């Protein structure tokens, strides 16, 4: 069994415009430090903070997660946490993993060619409108954006259970 899951969001253009409008309601919050160059994110903002994009986002990813649950032979899934990240020119996120969760996931709202998530031992090319899910222990990174295009993702962690 392949434990990498990828799907295409139906009506992505329409959903993308709404999600970007809702994300833009959050005050600018860059994260520029060692290994990061993110021009806007809500990763480090309080979890209790209202996120206008939450409902549409959760609705958008539900079919993908239900399909994963079915293929994994699980009875239920849960989204552990979600956050957006926007990268501009030279924006990047160095190698990392996600601890204490089963899957790391990325919904690519805006994704310039060649800017999808990279892995150390394999390639899984993604484009705008894709949702990619992979075991959270796999080292991955977001390569630098080498031009003036914008990359915006909504990342989320998920867990799956058999009752």
């Amino acid at each position: 069994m392949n434990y990498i899951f990828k799907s295409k969001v139906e009506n992505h253009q329409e959903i993308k415009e709404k999600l970007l409008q809702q994300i833009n309601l959050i005050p600018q919050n860059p994260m520029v430090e060692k290994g990061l160059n993110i021009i806007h994110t809500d990763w480090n903002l309080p979890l209790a903070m209202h996120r206008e994009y939450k409902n549409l986002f959760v609705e958008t990813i539900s079919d993908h997660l239900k399909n994963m649950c079915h293929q994994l032979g699980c009875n239920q899934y849960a989204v552990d946490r979600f956050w957006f990240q926007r990268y501009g020119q030279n924006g990047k996120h160095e190698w990392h993993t996600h601890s204490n969760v089963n899957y790391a996931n990325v919904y690519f709202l805006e994704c310039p060619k060649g800017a999808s998530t990279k892995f150390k031992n394999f390639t899984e090319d993604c484009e705008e409108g894709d949702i990619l899910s992979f075991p959270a222990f796999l080292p991955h990174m977001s390569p630098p954006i080498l031009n003036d295009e914008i990359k915006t993702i909504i990342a989320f962690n998920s867990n799956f259970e058999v009752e």
Side-chain angles (χ1 to χ4, degrees):
M1 173 181 224
N2 182 357
Y3 292 98
I4 308 295
F5 299 88
K6 186 166 90 171
S7 65
K8 182 68 79 181
V9 172
E10 290 186 38
N11 302 321
H12 168 70
Q13 277 305 124
E14 178 184 331
I15 291 168
K16 168 187 155 180
E17 295 306 319
K18 289 178 184 174
L19 286 171
L20 288 174
Q21 287 173 358
Q22 294 169 349
I23 284 170
N24 287 334
L25 296 174
I26 295 174
Q28 285 297 310
N29 182 42
M31 284 183 70
V32 180
E33 54 191 62
K34 184 177 180 183
L36 296 174
N37 188 3
I38 300 167
I39 61 175
H40 190 28
T41 185
D42 61 350
W43 162 256
N44 58 348
L45 297 177
L47 294 177
M49 184 185 95
H50 177 71
R51 286 164 168 81
E52 188 70 32
Y53 71 93
K54 176 185 178 181
N55 291 339
L56 178 56
F57 169 67
V58 170
E59 179 184 322
T60 300
I61 64 172
S62 66
D63 285 343
H64 176 84
L65 292 172
K66 287 176 188 173
N67 181 50
M68 283 180 67
C69 203
H70 174 75
Q71 289 188 44
L72 291 168
C74 295
N75 299 76
Q76 61 185 20
Y77 68 87
V79 173
D80 180 72
R81 185 167 181 201
F82 62 91
W83 63 97
F84 74 86
Q85 294 182 168
R86 179 171 292 146
Y87 303 88
Q89 191 163 21
N90 299 314
K92 65 179 181 173
H93 194 157
E94 292 291 342
W95 293 108
H96 64 283
T97 60
H98 297 221
S99 58
N100 303 316
V101 295
N102 300 147
Y103 274 83
N105 313 266
V106 182
Y107 175 24
F108 295 92
L109 285 179
E110 300 175 294
C111 188
K113 187 167 180 61
S116 66
T117 300
K118 301 295 180 203
F119 298 91
K120 287 194 174 197
N121 300 323
F122 65 94
T123 300
E124 187 67 47
D125 291 325
C126 293
E127 58 186 25
E128 186 174 300
D130 286 343
I131 299 175
L132 177 66
S133 300
F134 50 92
F137 65 84
L138 291 176
H140 59 283
M141 56 104 64
S142 183
I145 305 297
L146 301 177
N147 53 35
D148 61 355
E149 294 183 84
I150 297 291
K151 174 182 174 181
T152 306
I153 60 143
I154 302 177
F156 59 104
N157 293 330
S158 57
N159 289 302
F160 296 83
E161 292 185 24
V162 177
E163 292 182 337

